[in-house]
Amino acid sequence: MRVMWEAFYDQFIVQGGYKNVLLGLRNTLIIAIAGLVIGIIIGTIVASVQVAGKRNKVARVFAAVGDVYTGIFRGTPIIVQLLIFHYIIFSGINIDGLLEAIIVFGLNSGAYVAEIMRGGILSVDIGQMEAGRTLGLSYPTTMIKIVYPQAIKNVIPTLGNELIALTKDTSVAGYVATMDLTRAFRLIASANYEYIIPYLMLALVYLVIILIFTFIIRFVERRLRKSERRS
Amino acid sequence: MKEEVNAQASEAMAEELHTAMIEVEHLTKKFGDLLVLDDISEKIEQGEKVAIIGPSGSGKSTFLRCLNVLEDPTSGAVYFEGANLCDLRVDINLHRRRMGMVFQQFNLFNNMNVLKNITLAPVHVGVQDLRRIKRRNLRTKICNLFRKKDKKAALEPVETTVRQIKEEAKENAMRLLKRIGLADKAEVYPSTLSGGQRQRIAIVRALAMNPKVMLFDEPTSALDPEMVGEVLELIKELADEGMTMVIVTHEMGFAREVATRVLFMDGGKIVEQGPPAQVFGAPKNDRLKDFLSKVL
């Protein structure tokens, strides 16, 4: 047991492994959060177009594009997408690995968030839209002022789920692009073939991150539910 | 050349023809293969209070929703103050601001408190108009830079500010809320209110836009029996003030009391119409007799 700890200590402190871990932690958080933000932006646009596509012929064309997009990004593994972006699409461009990971995870999560947002928009009673329209507000105005706020409130728990899934998915980012938590601990573990402590420690770090996220999501959800009687 | 003159003349004629507040011409609505409205033509004059009665599935609500094009008619036209609302070149949002609508399910905005529910549309419209004037003025100013001194174009007057619009809307909303005795509920969210309170606020929300006509789609059907009175009372007050209104209702007593004209619809057609005394007192149509015998 002591040997394991000594080996870990040696790699983590003396050999400077903690620097990688801190960098990895930072990158993991950046990729997950920036990825989700990009995903929410893309997903909201795609979902809006798909909902509008039911009544508008122009939007229907874009909705078809959105379908292809969600189909591709939900239909292939994230690691394959990373490889394709790294070795094919960005191969000629000198792009920062972190940025590359953010783009891929953003696009990937956009496909999932699109479906989440679509469900959220459809969960808002059609009467809300009708009431806005009869007051003389335009379709986009009614969407922005009335439907989206309610839709977002409805999808916060699911978006939280997406954030958690995305955070864990970032563990593959280290294979191609950049330093992340998993890669940092893998380097420590493989330096002297002592796997037990680094990998258990890695799991613990992910667990703590996700518990913190869960807590934040609950908090946000409670704040947004202010206007409802259900508690 | 002559044809052109004729065309212009007939266009002018056509415009003159639609002098009533709302005119419906050969209105037909199909949901898939189901014929809901069957070639309805009808006029509603200013100041009229029209009650629409009929069995469920007769197309009453659809007819009402076609009046402000919430449902797109399959064919036919709806004229509101001379403008054809089915024409895609007509800005429907401008006309809808003059037509208040009240729903069976209230449809208050759940994400806003009562005051915001009422002020949302007036503020939005006011601010939008203000921005439009400012944009136009900016363009004029830029163009003026390239004009000679004596040829400068005049700026449009900017009379209000965003803050003023907001304050006026708030004042107006509070006045309306006081009128229905709910001024103390201005800051609460709709989910904490009773059905009757919600429906009265929905009516007031529509009134805040100063509509010329009010459309009521079964305003009391989703209410507890004891809440019905307060809502009908408010509608009656509006009627007494001279508001033009179209009401789809199952409250026959109310229709008889308030309406100046009653339309009985069945199978997508207006089967019988007339003053309430005549429709309720001496119905001619068999279907109407049958209907009245069941509901009265």
Side-chain angles (χ1 to χ4, degrees):
Chain A
M1 192 70 192
R2 173 166 295 163
V3 181
M4 286 184 200
W5 277 107
E6 270 166 10
F8 179 70
Y9 180 85
D10 180 52
Q11 279 302 318
F12 194 76
I13 308 286
V14 180
Q15 304 288 333
Y18 69 93
K19 285 180 199 152
N20 272 344
V21 170
L22 285 179
L23 181 67
L25 178 66
R26 188 198 74 148
N27 285 355
T28 293
L29 291 177
I30 289 177
I31 295 169
I33 291 168
L36 186 72
V37 170
I38 295 173
I40 288 174
I41 294 168
I42 295 176
T44 309
I45 294 169
V46 172
S48 307
V49 168
Q50 282 175 337
V51 172
K54 279 190 187 155
R55 21 152 265 144
N56 186 310
K57 283 189 184 125
V58 182
R60 204 169 299 159
V61 177
F62 289 101
V65 177
D67 281 338
V68 173
Y69 160 72
T70 48
I72 289 172
F73 277 89
R74 290 202 304 173
T76 53
I78 180 85
I79 183 101
V80 175
Q81 290 162 20
L82 273 170
L83 291 170
I84 288 173
F85 271 81
H86 188 70
Y87 290 109
I88 301 172
I89 296 173
F90 291 145
S91 65
I93 315 162
N94 190 9
I95 187 172
D96 181 46
L98 180 62
L99 185 63
E100 190 180 290
I102 290 173
I103 292 171
V104 176
F105 278 92
L107 285 169
N108 182 272
S109 117
Y112 288 93
V113 176
E115 287 300 303
I116 296 173
M117 287 303 294
R118 200 169 66 86
I121 292 170
L122 294 180
S123 76
V124 176
D125 181 25
I126 184 97
Q128 299 282 313
M129 171 55 85
E130 288 181 350
R133 297 307 308 276
T134 51
L135 285 169
L137 304 177
S138 65
Y139 178 86
T141 308
T142 317
M143 276 309 240
I144 291 166
K145 297 226 167 187
I146 295 154
V147 178
Y148 286 151
Q150 296 182 47
I152 286 172
K153 195 171 68 182
N154 289 344
V155 300
I156 285 288
T158 331
L159 277 183
N161 219 0
E162 171 66 17
L163 175 63
I164 288 170
L166 195 61
T167 310
K168 291 186 289 187
D169 277 351
T170 58
S171 59
V172 299
Y175 284 93
V176 280
T178 180
M179 180 60 68
D180 80 311
L181 263 183
T182 308
R183 188 172 174 191
F185 277 100
R186 210 173 62 219
L187 291 178
I188 291 173
S190 52
N192 47 17
Y193 309 105
E194 284 292 348
Y195 299 110
I196 297 175
I197 290 174
Y199 284 161
L200 288 179
M201 202 76 101
L202 174 62
L204 191 68
V205 174
Y206 275 114
L207 191 64
V208 170
I209 293 174
I210 280 159
L211 285 177
I212 293 170
F213 278 163
T214 313
F215 180 77
I216 294 171
I217 295 157
R218 287 268 158 78
F219 179 74
V220 171
E221 198 191 331
R222 255 206 317 274
R223 288 297 300 273
L224 287 175
R225 290 244 174 255
K226 212 173 47 182
S227 64
E228 274 178 36
R229 261 196 297 191
R230 88 171 81 133
S231 49
Chain B
M1 195 60 181
K2 201 175 179 184
E3 271 173 8
E4 215 176 284
V5 173
N6 276 343
Q8 273 175 6
S10 65
E11 233 179 76
M13 283 258 293
E15 264 176 29
E16 262 171 46
L17 281 173
H18 306 294
T19 51
M21 179 149 267
I22 300 177
E23 274 195 51
V24 177
E25 277 184 353
H26 304 292
L27 181 65
T28 302
K29 176 72 187 174
K30 283 179 189 163
F31 287 118
D33 283 337
L34 185 70
L35 185 65
V36 185
L37 296 177
D38 187 3
D39 194 33
I40 294 179
S41 295
E42 192 53 59
K43 278 185 193 177
I44 294 163
E45 300 286 349
Q46 178 150 18
E48 270 196 303
K49 295 110 184 59
V50 178
I52 304 175
I53 60 171
S56 19
S58 59
K60 310 182 293 283
S61 283
T62 310
F63 176 66
L64 193 77
R65 289 159 63 85
C66 279
L67 293 185
N68 67 357
V69 208
L70 215 49
E71 300 288 354
D72 279 320
T74 310
S75 67
V78 178
Y79 293 89
F80 174 61
E81 297 187 306
N84 184 358
L85 298 186
C86 304
D87 189 339
L88 289 175
R89 286 167 300 179
V90 169
D91 184 357
I92 184 68
N93 294 328
L94 285 180
H95 294 286
R96 279 192 182 140
R97 286 165 199 167
R98 296 274 158 258
M99 310 174 98
M101 185 157 189
V102 175
F103 299 87
Q104 184 178 354
Q105 299 296 341
F106 329 129
N107 293 344
L108 290 180
F109 304 133
N110 297 324
N111 57 326
M112 298 173 182
N113 65 22
V114 168
L115 188 65
K116 194 83 200 298
N117 257 284
I118 301 172
T119 56
L120 172 72
V123 168
H124 182 79
V125 170
V127 171
Q128 206 177 31
D129 288 346
L130 183 67
R131 290 222 179 102
R132 199 168 292 148
I133 291 176
K134 281 187 175 164
R135 254 202 314 272
R136 271 204 299 265
N137 276 350
L138 183 67
R139 200 184 319 143
T140 324
K141 271 183 197 162
I142 292 170
C143 292
N144 275 350
L145 292 177
F146 302 98
R147 288 183 178 125
K148 285 178 188 162
K149 252 185 188 164
D150 51 329
K151 282 190 178 169
K152 300 240 190 244
L155 296 179
E156 291 173 63
V158 180
E159 279 147 1
T160 66
T161 59
V162 171
R163 177 185 293 234
Q164 209 174 331
I165 290 169
K166 279 184 182 161
E167 265 165 25
E168 272 167 26
K170 195 179 164 186
E171 250 169 57
N172 190 32
M174 288 312 292
R175 188 178 56 74
L176 288 163
L177 279 175
K178 272 201 193 91
R179 177 185 164 167
I180 56 171
L182 291 176
D184 56 324
K185 302 283 187 193
E187 302 294 330
V188 307
Y189 282 88
S191 57
T192 59
L193 298 170
S194 76
Q197 289 171 331
R198 282 190 229 182
Q199 191 61 300
R200 283 186 292 151
I201 287 163
I203 294 172
V204 157
R205 177 176 69 178
L207 288 179
M209 296 297 283
N210 296 318
K212 294 196 167 165
V213 54
M214 288 284 284
L215 311 174
F216 292 92
D217 188 3
E218 303 196 20
T220 59
S221 297
L223 295 176
D224 288 343
E226 44 171 359
M227 310 276 180
V228 171
E230 59 189 67
V231 171
L232 292 184
E233 192 60 34
L234 178 59
I235 299 175
K236 195 158 167 293
E237 265 177 52
L238 290 179
D240 292 341
E241 283 165 20
M243 177 69 78
T244 312
M245 46 177 74
V246 185
I247 312 168
V248 171
T249 187
H250 290 297
E251 300 282 334
M252 296 304 153
F254 177 72
R256 182 185 290 201
E257 193 182 348
V258 170
T260 55
R261 188 150 61 104
V262 177
L263 308 181
F264 173 70
M265 286 187 70
D266 187 39
K269 285 186 168 159
I270 297 172
V271 183
E272 186 166 341
Q273 62 163 296
Q278 181 194 323
V279 170
F280 291 111
K284 291 193 264 307
N285 183 283
D286 286 339
R287 188 69 192 85
L288 176 56
K289 281 180 198 164
D290 183 44
F291 177 72
L292 288 176
S293 71
K294 279 177 191 152
V295 297
L296 286 181

